[in-house]
Amino acid sequence: MITIVFYILSAITLGTAFLTILSKNPIHSAIYLVLCFFSIAGHYLMFNAQFLAIVHIIVYSGAIMILMLFTIMLMNLNKEDERHKPILSRIAAVVSFCLVAFVLLATFIKAQPALREYKVSGQDYQSIQVLGKVLLNDYMVPFEFASVLLLVSMIGAVLLSKKEHINS
Amino acid sequence: MDQAIIIEKGIFIVAIFAITMLFAMYETLAERKIAAWLQDRIGPNRAGPGGILQPLADGLKLFSKEEFFPATQNRFLFICGPAISMITALMTSAVIPWGSSLNIMGRDVVLQATDINIGILYVFGVLSIGVYGIMIGGWASNNKFSLMGAMRAASQMISYEVAMGLSIIALTMMTQSLSLSDIAAGQHGWRWNVLYQPVGFLIFLVCSFAETNRTPFDLAECEAELIGGYHTEYSSMKMGFYLFAEYASMFISSTVLAVLYFGAYNYPGMDWVKDNAGANIASILGIGVLFIKICFFIFFYMWIRWTVPRFRYDQLMKLGWKMLIPLAIANIVVTGILILFFDNNLHL
């Protein structure tokens, strides 16, 4: 039963991901990407990671993709005026994606022992209580760095929009 | 045993769906009646005694209207728009605790479709995808007024979601749980959250007006500037679905307000009733109390609609970003300090 659900979800994830790249209309691409994000949230739910699934939906489908759709609609990219990208940048994109995938794989393999510890101790490691404790005790410094990074990018965005305003 | 749970939940879900639909139907009548009352008119009174059959007549009219499609290449997305709005309006009710458990034939029936431990985030997630219905429909209409309406709706919802999330953070700091059933149970008797979080409640209330696209925040369908906003090109039951979704989400957001801040199914003296009349009677009374609170909030929505005029767009953004968000952050800080000082007293 669970295997069948997994295969259906995977088919949806891969299909919508390909359609995101292949469809000519940017709005259709964005909508396929939203569907892709939803199916990824479904994968999280299959691991019983409810918090992760919901946060994924709120952040990616609910905020980032809406802003993306917003921009595409305002820019009115209906015409297929896609610029041709040079071969070199395409190769660079593929290589950098492979490297990121490699790093992710390494992290997940390293994360396995920690998971086993939780499984042995019988704690509900998917619950927000455990997640919050781990995030603010064991991974305090990276967590704070991430928040500083977000703050810096936010201030940067505000600064960029301000400058344009003064020039015009 | 497993089958019994499936049947129980199935009946419960169908009942919730029916109640939501019934409420949405009669909200349309209530809106017109309340508008008439506030403007010293009589209101609809022709269909049935006191206009009680008016919603059915409206539905029949919408169904029998011509189905019109604008010149667009996105017929599928055009149909998807109202459908998504309707689905997201109905999805939230899955995590609402409608009452404490009932004891029917020796079985404890929990009056909640599903008790996930992140219920409040689920409500928030469904809310954040609700804007897709308006955006996709507005874009697929191939009409610049519809697109403008959709843009306004999207930017407004994103802006007010931030303040809403921040006000919920202050609430969860006190309740120590994200599960709606825990939050409801924690407000036993008179300990309603609104007494501990008045500022948070105010922010949440304003934001839920913005999220349901009701006046004074209904810039998405501002008739004077945008014809009909995002549903300009819609006709027949597709437009009916957009309007119906607004009323359904009004019912649901009234429910969320009642559950989070106004004590859900709790009422003063519920222990006395439980001791003297039995748990079932107390529980049924609790459901009645919850629905009274919901009706009050629905009335409040309509009262505001016919009292306060629509904001201008820059006023809307200023209120969201420059007033509500700083206020919500200050509320979080103050709540944190108070919890630190009076930890034992505030422990709900």
Side-chain angles (χ1 to χ4, degrees), chain B residues 62-206:
Chain B
L62 280 172
F63 267 117
S64 56
K65 285 244 169 175
E66 185 196 348
E67 187 110 31
F68 173 77
F69 281 96
T72 169
Q73 300 104 338
N74 299 289
R75 273 175 86 106
F76 181 69
L77 288 182
F78 185 74
I79 296 169
C80 268
I84 295 171
S85 281
M86 201 67 210
I87 290 169
T88 50
L90 292 173
M91 259 168 74
T92 316
S93 57
V95 293
I96 305 278
W98 298 93
S100 46
S101 59
L102 274 178
N103 198 316
I104 300 171
M105 289 181 289
R107 278 174 53 84
D108 264 341
V109 179
V110 181
L111 295 176
Q112 190 175 17
T114 169
D115 183 16
I116 48 179
N117 61 10
I118 43 155
I120 206 166
L121 286 179
Y122 171 86
V123 172
F124 210 64
V126 173
L127 205 77
S128 66
I129 59 174
V131 68
Y132 277 113
I134 292 174
M135 275 191 99
I136 289 174
W139 182 76
S141 298
N142 202 13
N143 175 331
K144 58 184 166 195
F145 293 113
S146 300
L147 187 63
M148 283 304 292
M151 293 287 117
R152 282 184 175 187
S155 52
Q156 170 185 327
M157 281 192 174
I158 292 174
S159 310
Y160 279 79
E161 245 166 46
V162 181
M164 198 178 210
L166 290 174
S167 70
I168 286 179
I169 286 176
L171 181 73
T172 49
M173 277 162 74
M174 290 184 45
T175 55
Q176 309 270 313
S177 171
L178 291 178
S179 154
L180 282 178
S181 64
D182 285 353
I183 292 175
Q187 306 178 56
H188 196 81
W190 253 122
R191 284 183 293 171
W192 296 359
N193 279 334
V194 67
L195 302 175
Y196 299 91
Q197 280 286 336
V199 180
F201 167 70
L202 207 67
I203 295 165
F204 195 89
L205 185 73
V206 173

Side-chain angles (χ1 to χ4, degrees), chain B residues 11 25 34 80 103 200 207 214 248 323 338:
Chain B
I11 293 171
M25 239 169 89
I34 289 168
C80 268
N103 198 316
C207 292
R214 295 278 303 177
M323 290 164 79
L338 286 181

Side-chain angles (χ1 to χ4, degrees), chain A residues 25 27-28 31 34 38 50-51 54-55 57-58 60-67 69-70 73-74 76 78 124 127-129, chain B residues 74 77 116-118 121-122 124-126 128-129 131-132 135-136 139 142 147-148 150-152 154-155 158 161 176-178:
Chain A
N25 192 326
I27 301 251
H28 290 178
I31 291 169
V34 174
F38 272 108
Q50 298 175 351
F51 179 71
I54 290 291
V55 166
I57 286 177
I58 292 175
Y60 285 93
S61 315
I64 293 178
M65 282 318 292
I66 284 179
L67 281 180
L69 262 180
F70 194 78
M73 283 179 183
L74 274 186
N76 209 8
N78 275 331
D124 182 15
S127 72
I128 36 171
Q129 278 90 355
Chain B
N74 299 289
L77 288 182
I116 48 179
N117 61 10
I118 43 155
L121 286 179
Y122 171 86
F124 210 64
V126 173
S128 66
I129 59 174
V131 68
Y132 277 113
M135 275 191 99
I136 289 174
W139 182 76
N142 202 13
L147 187 63
M148 283 304 292
M151 293 287 117
R152 282 184 175 187
S155 52
I158 292 174
E161 245 166 46
Q176 309 270 313
S177 171
L178 291 178

Side-chain angles (χ1 to χ4, degrees), chain A residues 46-167:
Chain A
M46 283 185 52
F47 292 125
N48 201 22
Q50 298 175 351
F51 179 71
L52 200 58
I54 290 291
V55 166
H56 182 82
I57 286 177
I58 292 175
V59 172
Y60 285 93
S61 315
I64 293 178
M65 282 318 292
I66 284 179
L67 281 180
M68 202 112 104
L69 262 180
F70 194 78
T71 334
I72 295 171
M73 283 179 183
L74 274 186
M75 280 156 70
N76 209 8
L77 289 173
N78 275 331
K79 321 279 176 305
E80 288 137 33
D81 50 2
E82 191 188 340
R83 242 176 279 143
H84 191 73
K85 295 195 179 62
I87 292 282
L88 201 65
S89 69
R90 289 185 185 197
I91 292 174
V94 171
V95 168
S96 55
F97 175 75
C98 287
L99 284 176
V100 169
F102 179 70
V103 172
L104 274 180
L105 209 64
T107 338
F108 287 141
I109 290 170
K110 260 202 105 184
Q112 278 297 325
L115 208 63
R116 227 166 280 145
E117 248 170 58
Y118 278 118
K119 268 183 185 160
V120 167
S121 66
Q123 251 177 316
D124 182 15
Y125 58 91
Q126 310 282 22
S127 72
I128 36 171
Q129 278 90 355
V130 173
L131 205 68
K133 271 177 195 152
V134 169
L135 214 56
L136 288 177
N137 288 332
D138 302 354
Y139 297 99
M140 178 75 175
V141 178
F143 183 75
E144 291 297 331
F145 268 122
S147 59
V148 168
L149 193 68
L150 279 175
L151 188 69
V152 166
S153 56
M154 208 160 79
I155 294 171
V158 171
L159 207 69
L160 277 178
S161 60
K162 267 261 154 56
K163 228 174 207 167
E164 226 164 79
H165 188 68
I166 293 165
N167 283 346

Side-chain angles (χ1 to χ4, degrees), chain A residues 17-39:
Chain A
F18 272 113
L19 283 170
T20 307
I21 304 167
L22 295 178
S23 55
K24 291 269 185 260
N25 192 326
I27 301 251
H28 290 178
S29 284
I31 291 169
Y32 282 127
L33 194 56
V34 174
L35 289 179
C36 187
F37 282 146
F38 272 108
S39 58

